[in-house]
Amino acid sequence: MKKLLALLLALLILAAVALCMIGAKVSEEKDRVTVTEQALYGDPAAAAGATVTQTAHLDSHLLWNTVYPVGGKASSEYGFSMRELTFERNVSHHGIRLYDHIRYGYDLKKPLEECTGLERAYRELYDATAPGTKGTKTVRLQDLYDYYPIRMDIDLPGTLWHGIDYEDLAEDDFINQRTVWDKFSEFFRIPIPDSLSPIEISVTKSESGQEIGIGSHAAVKDGEHYSLYTNAAYTADACYFTINNRVGDGYVDTSLIPGGYGIYRFRYTDVRDETNTSGTATIFHPGFQTGVDADSLTTVYPLEERVQVQSMEVDPTGTKLLLVTEDGTGLYLLVLDLATMTEQHRFRLSDGGFASLNHQEDFVIAFHGVSFSLFSLDGQGVYTHVLTADQPSATDESFAHINTFAAMDFDGERLIMADVLPESQYRTMETCNFCLAVYDSDGLQYYGEYLSSLATHPDTSHYSYNCIPQKLTVSWDG
């Protein structure tokens, strides 16, 4: 036994020495990280004065921080850790999600008289299906429900939501969550449209009478179906959201919602205990309070029925709500003042389609189709349209299509965007190579791709064998 322990100890020491030798060897190469410029369009001088900074790691043990003044020589700081490295990640919350909660299936443990809606239809079909056969039944949701049953999920800083079915919430332990759920269900009373297509449900039993399968499908090909979903954004104490109101070529009835179809808001508070001895915020929940003030739920901004909200965000100032909307006449960026809930700006982006936003401190970019639009933000909170241009891939299909969350900077006249490049064989894995695109009011002025020595010979079969970009930033010097 002692010999075995001694052998294991020797192996551990040998492994540690080997890792240190590897680290020392890589450390010798740390200043040899190079970035090679490939100017593919326009004049590289358009990117002069910009600096790209990239953090990359190998198997979460080796770390490089490379600074590259565009057109110059890259410098790199190297780090090695025997422990697996961890990286800070931006914590984001989805705010609120509402779903139409139609339950497909049944619970044999529940008495028939307690079953409602589609669950009861399934249960009745089960009881009527003979062993060794498959029973089918066509049902209309309009005949089973007065309103769409609602399911909720809330994720906001410092709030507490258990993600448990309403029926499973013990009334004495989760009373606040039940109260919130009840009030939201009462607020969003959406009748099942008469135009909604019927569905066919099925239950299959074995010869012994045991259920071996359930199913469902639309009884009418290409029939109408409604899906409730939300878009949400939040501030430090309020959550704003919209719901989908479209079904087929028409709309669901939102007349029973107080204030009708629009932007809704509720207040919330942080229920974390900031006084714990460890110095970190922990969730506490006396009486299982959620932090959600359901009594504050209200409609704060009416929307025309034809307006579909694709996305919404609170801007970096915390005072404006930005919405991407489509209304059949075009795609728009709306800017609402949160204090007064009044429209401050309406910018037309395109004839239609979809758009997504990238917020920076003093500007915002809306990506739409093969194009994007840049809007600057001044000290008074006023947005101004600066330019609309095409993606690099629209100039040459071999050029990159810049990601919505790419790194970027704007100096008042020039916009520079930097994005990581994937390996060329399958284009599924990010590498330490990157591209740069520079724009001004006349459009694309320069596009180049930059090859890092950390991206040599990518191995698409073994992800951990590659240097992986962890963070990429770009800025105009000064």
Side-chain angles (χ1 to χ4, degrees):
M1 185 66 179
K2 290 182 178 180
K3 291 183 178 180
L4 177 60
L5 290 175
L7 178 60
L8 290 174
L9 179 60
L11 290 174
L12 286 173
I13 293 173
L14 180 61
V17 170
L19 284 172
C20 290
M21 293 177 64
I22 292 171
K25 179 62 178 176
V26 177
S27 183
E28 293 177 5
E29 306 293 327
K30 66 181 182 181
D31 292 327
R32 299 189 184 182
V33 175
T34 60
V35 175
T36 303
E37 180 181 78
Q38 292 185 331
L40 301 178
Y41 177 86
D43 186 356
T51 298
V52 176
T53 302
Q54 184 184 69
T55 302
H57 69 90
L58 175 62
D59 199 26
S60 297
H61 288 283
L62 307 180
L63 184 71
W64 289 267
N65 188 59
T66 302
V67 177
Y68 173 65
V70 178
K73 182 180 180 180
S75 61
S76 183
E77 294 181 355
Y78 159 78
F80 168 75
S81 173
M82 290 184 63
R83 291 188 175 184
E84 185 172 318
L85 296 166
T86 58
F87 304 100
E88 288 187 11
R89 301 187 183 277
N90 293 327
V91 178
S92 60
H93 303 271
H94 61 245
I96 182 173
R97 290 174 178 159
L98 295 180
Y99 312 88
D100 47 293
H101 189 41
I102 306 293
R103 279 193 165 189
Y104 288 79
Y106 51 88
D107 181 0
L108 288 175
K109 296 179 181 179
K110 184 185 294 187
L112 177 62
E113 58 271 16
E114 294 182 11
C115 298
T116 61
L118 191 58
E119 183 183 26
R120 186 181 182 93
Y122 265 107
R123 179 60 184 279
E124 290 174 343
L125 178 59
Y126 171 84
D127 292 342
T129 301
T133 66
K134 177 180 179 180
T136 62
K137 182 179 182 180
T138 300
V139 298
R140 299 174 71 249
L141 296 180
Q142 303 93 316
D143 300 331
L144 304 176
Y145 302 94
D146 292 327
Y147 311 109
Y148 278 100
I150 302 297
R151 182 178 178 85
M152 321 174 41
D153 179 34
I154 291 176
D155 175 30
L156 289 163
T159 58
L160 181 70
W161 197 262
H162 291 83
I164 302 173
D165 284 344
Y166 183 91
E167 297 80 2
D168 297 328
L169 293 171
E171 201 164 328
D172 54 342
D173 291 335
F174 301 95
I175 185 65
N176 180 242
Q177 184 164 326
R178 292 175 69 94
T179 299
V180 172
W181 205 324
D182 286 340
K183 291 187 176 181
F184 273 74
S185 294
E186 176 63 23
F187 191 90
F188 290 103
R189 290 181 297 158
I190 303 174
I192 309 289
D194 287 336
S195 61
L196 206 68
S197 301
I199 59 176
E200 183 178 281
I201 61 174
S202 63
V203 172
T204 304
K205 281 185 177 180
S206 66
E207 291 291 345
S208 63
Q210 298 297 313
E211 175 230 303
I212 58 174
I214 65 170
S216 68
H217 65 270
V220 178
K221 185 179 179 180
D222 300 324
E224 288 191 355
H225 169 74
Y226 173 65
S227 178
L228 174 62
Y229 58 84
T230 53
N231 286 293
Y234 60 89
T235 64
D237 63 356
C239 182
Y240 300 83
F241 65 101
T242 61
I243 64 170
N244 172 43
N245 73 328
R246 297 192 178 185
V247 54
D249 295 327
Y251 309 95
V252 293
D253 180 4
T254 56
S255 63
L256 298 179
I257 299 175
Y261 176 60
I263 299 175
Y264 312 102
R265 182 193 66 199
F266 64 89
R267 301 288 183 183
Y268 74 95
T269 55
D270 191 328
V271 294
R272 289 177 294 189
D273 181 5
E274 302 289 351
T275 63
N276 62 85
T277 57
S278 67
T280 58
T282 57
I283 294 294
F284 83 112
H285 37 88
F288 293 90
Q289 298 299 308
T290 63
V292 177
D293 179 7
D295 291 329
S296 66
L297 179 60
T298 187
T299 304
V300 292
Y301 187 84
L303 291 170
E304 293 182 40
E305 191 176 52
R306 65 193 177 108
V307 173
Q308 182 181 32
V309 177
Q310 293 185 2
S311 65
M312 58 193 306
E313 299 180 16
V314 174
D315 84 342
T317 70
T319 63
K320 304 291 187 295
L321 188 65
L322 306 187
L323 295 89
V324 175
T325 67
E326 190 276 327
D327 64 1
T329 68
L331 188 66
Y332 298 89
L333 174 65
L334 270 60
V335 181
L336 305 182
D337 177 69
L338 283 175
T340 61
M341 288 308 298
T342 56
E343 182 181 306
Q344 288 196 323
H345 305 288
R346 177 186 293 263
F347 300 106
R348 182 181 176 88
L349 300 176
S350 65
D351 292 338
F354 297 89
S356 54
L357 302 178
N358 182 317
H359 272 129
Q360 300 296 318
E361 185 176 349
D362 55 1
F363 67 95
V364 62
I365 288 186
F367 289 89
H368 46 93
V370 297
S371 304
F372 65 88
S373 299
L374 184 150
F375 305 88
S376 64
L377 174 63
D378 66 18
Q380 285 69 49
V382 176
Y383 283 88
T384 301
H385 176 253
V386 177
L387 63 89
T388 293
D390 288 338
Q391 284 264 5
S393 56
T395 298
D396 187 314
E397 63 180 12
S398 68
F399 295 172
H401 190 85
I402 302 293
N403 187 286
T404 300
F405 300 105
M408 55 188 65
D409 195 20
F410 178 60
D411 67 0
E413 295 182 356
R414 296 176 300 167
L415 168 70
I416 186 167
M417 298 192 289
D419 202 2
V420 296
L421 292 173
E423 49 78 25
S424 59
Q425 184 176 7
Y426 301 110
R427 306 190 67 82
T428 57
M429 184 185 73
E430 292 182 343
T431 71
C432 293
N433 299 329
F434 59 90
C435 66
L436 291 177
V438 179
Y439 291 84
D440 63 15
S441 58
D442 293 324
L444 181 65
Q445 299 301 307
Y446 171 69
Y447 175 81
E449 295 183 354
Y450 295 78
L451 308 183
S452 169
S453 58
L454 294 177
T456 303
H457 306 302
D459 189 332
T460 57
S461 301
H462 301 87
Y463 180 83
S464 62
Y465 288 3
N466 300 273
C467 288
I468 304 298
Q470 195 271 326
K471 186 177 182 180
L472 182 72
T473 64
V474 65
S475 62
W476 295 111
D477 297 344

